[in-house]
Amino acid sequence: KEQFSLCPCIQPKFFNDKPVECELNKFTDTMQFLHTEVNGFTQVVAVDEAFDLFTRAWCVAELVEAEARGIPQAVKVHSQGAVDCNYDNLS
């Protein structure tokens, strides 16, 4: 099993063994709360120039979760030039 090192800051780290303090397990609850409690809530998807956003699992998971919950999404890209440069990699 691959392990990743923790950041060296002095802040305490909480994992799934402490579910109340853990921030890793709040994702879907937060998305649902915002969708139901914030009138007009929309997910703004700020796409970086190289479109690396789509290679990050947690970013794709957020997009999928928003779509599944019917949360409106507004996609903002760096530029038309960035779209043109990455066009072949986007399908």
Side-chain angles (χ1 to χ4, degrees):
K1 184 175 178 179
E2 187 176 359
Q3 296 290 317
F4 297 96
S5 60
L6 299 176
C7 73
C9 74
I10 61 171
Q11 295 298 315
K13 313 299 187 271
F14 299 106
F15 299 99
N16 289 330
D17 59 334
K18 295 188 178 187
V20 173
E21 296 92 349
C22 180
E23 294 179 6
L24 300 173
N25 63 356
K26 308 292 189 283
F27 173 69
T28 55
D29 293 339
T30 301
M31 294 286 284
Q32 184 61 35
F33 173 81
L34 291 169
H35 181 54
T36 58
E37 299 297 323
V38 178
N39 188 32
F41 176 72
T42 299
Q43 180 185 45
V44 177
V45 183
V47 182
D48 59 290
E49 189 174 7
F51 287 75
D52 288 335
L53 169 120
F54 300 110
T55 67
R56 298 182 181 119
W58 65 93
C59 294
V60 174
E62 248 186 61
L63 299 174
V64 170
E65 187 68 26
E67 175 68 21
R69 293 181 179 275
I71 297 171
Q73 296 169 304
V75 178
K76 305 295 181 184
V77 295
H78 180 270
S79 64
Q80 183 62 50
V83 173
D84 295 343
C85 285
N86 292 284
Y87 185 81
D88 291 338
N89 297 325
L90 296 176
S91 61

